[in-house]
Amino acid sequence: MNNQQMMQRDLAHLWHPCTQMSDHERYPLIPIKRGDGVYLEDFDGKRYIDAISSWWTNILGHGNPEIRDAIKDQLDQIEHVIFAGFSHQPAVELGEKLAALTPGNLNKCFFGENGSSAIEIALKMSFHYWRNAGKTDKTKFVALKNGYHGETLGALAVGDVALFKETYAPLLMEAMLVDSPDCYFREAGESWQQYTERQFVAMEKMLAERHGEIAAVILEPLVQCATGMRMYHPVYLKLLREACDRYGVHLIADEIAVGFGRTGTMFACNQADITPDFLCLSKALTSGFLPLSAVMTSDAVFNAFYDSYESMRGFLHSHSYTGNPLACRSACATIDLLLRDNWLEKNQRTQQLLRHALEDLQDHPNVAELRQTGMIIALEVVKDKASKTPFDWRERRGLRMYQHAQQHGALIRPIGSVVYLMPPYVVSDEQIATLTEIIRTGLPLMVQ
Ligand SMILES: *Cc1c(COP(=O)(O)O)cnc(C)c1O
């Protein structure tokens, strides 16, 4: 089998996510045969550095032998078992590890199968908590503009991606959107912190006016990833935590993309020293080995559901594969390795390397901003730098970088015209040099 043959068999039956399928008449689909560390290898034997960690999941490398062995060991014991009325060791251990690792008093863990289902769970739990507390008016959710929380209907409703929202609008509950602290739009001379604080005024106003009907505020701490790696200062989280407490509103932190060290701390919330009421985790939770998500919450939330069966206060949510043992086992192995091998500390150096390798591109006439939070670095490529005028989205300039990278042995998948690197933590200095060179040589193709 070669790439061409595999592609043809694929296209006969498979429908891919986030893809206009007709694109594959022109742009080849790449069938991957195996992975090794940061490398993916296709059926023609060509290798690619996975510079986006396979959609931000794979932090410790493809085929990581220790995670692989943990899963193999688990496979010899129990592959899956119903999680209602039954339990198993990997879930128990993962619950313990997550309770210890996450900030503050997040002591209870509810599993889902992917990021979107974690969001659905958190939204339902928040609403149901208030209902159990007799506050039946609290049915609404506040979210940030330009946010992304997944693509099932509840998650889509609290997100703000224009294309999705417009298309599916008639199906969605109405969320209350507030201006984002996204520091790309700060004034010249204004610091991230100043701009972020200024942007909080809109949130404060929303909460002051409508807290009686608001169950929770949901946001992506520090980086709005899916909408172009837009970043803000941690002070927003501090102010928001304080305001949520003051107004009796839950705070849902969607750390699905940024959890487990991506922003430089174990969780982005750590940088503001806050504890959300709900913390949603997925993606890097299993280092990209198996689908799994978790919603962490407090004993106080848990206790609001804890009553006799007939009280009908119990939480109503289930997925067939809830708490899958293989997935939980891969998550336990991921957390063990993250801590044992001091990845957060090692990443400090990698973050510096990334910045040094790309820093001078700030001065490029088509780069409006180079920004970085931890192990995420992004270039905002624009038509006009002074006015921050973007290229027309129909020109699909990001695709030029994608193809250029592909030819030169890397998976770099810009979001619109935002070029970013979000590599596995195991990336080497040499691989960083290769990736940043590809960006350098690809940039002229994007802007010409
Ligand atoms: C990816 C993502 C989701 C959705 O997770 P899926 O597993 O793709 O459903 C939700 N929130 C954020 C911030 C994400 O990056």
Side-chain angles (χ1 to χ4, degrees), residues 106-297:
L106 298 174
N107 204 33
K108 296 288 180 188
C109 174
F110 196 102
F111 292 120
E113 297 164 354
N114 54 58
S116 301
S117 66
I119 299 297
E120 303 290 339
I121 290 162
L123 296 175
K124 282 173 69 178
M125 259 187 197
S126 173
F127 160 79
H128 199 160
Y129 170 93
W130 294 117
R131 185 185 144 97
N132 282 351
K135 304 217 166 154
T136 49
D137 288 342
K138 287 168 92 66
T139 60
K140 298 221 160 55
F141 297 99
V142 173
L144 293 184
K145 287 187 187 160
N146 201 45
Y148 175 88
H149 300 288
E151 300 183 37
T152 54
L153 295 177
L156 204 54
V158 291
D160 183 37
V161 181
L163 176 66
F164 302 162
K165 273 235 128 144
E166 281 162 27
T167 308
Y168 301 109
L171 306 181
L172 305 179
M173 68 172 168
E174 214 172 305
M176 296 148 79
L177 293 181
V178 169
D179 283 344
S180 168
D182 174 0
C183 289
Y184 179 59
F185 296 109
R186 72 195 182 280
E187 301 289 329
E190 195 175 25
S191 72
W192 279 34
Q193 174 158 359
Q194 286 166 336
Y195 183 73
T196 302
E197 281 172 0
R198 187 152 68 82
Q199 287 303 92
F200 188 76
V201 173
M203 179 64 82
E204 173 75 35
K205 183 161 180 284
M206 175 69 89
L207 291 174
E209 286 170 4
R210 302 185 66 177
H211 59 91
E213 43 182 322
I214 298 169
V217 175
I218 181 168
L219 86 175
E220 297 157 90
L222 302 190
V223 190
Q224 296 186 303
C225 294
T227 50
M229 301 297 161
R230 293 294 180 76
M231 299 171 184
Y232 58 90
H233 192 277
V235 70
Y236 198 87
L237 302 174
K238 245 190 172 40
L239 294 169
L240 181 58
R241 175 70 277 179
E242 188 270 324
C244 283
D245 287 341
R246 199 155 23 89
Y247 291 115
V249 167
H250 286 144
L251 171 54
I252 302 174
D254 176 355
E255 295 220 19
I256 289 165
V258 297
F260 302 100
R262 185 55 78 174
T263 64
T265 44
M266 187 57 79
F267 300 100
C269 284
N270 295 137
Q271 294 188 36
D273 199 19
I274 63 141
T275 306
D277 298 287
F278 302 91
L279 177 65
C280 299
L281 303 170
S282 188
K283 291 202 167 108
L285 171 60
T286 65
S287 194
F289 271 71
L290 286 162
L292 180 69
S293 62
V295 179
M296 301 302 296
T297 192

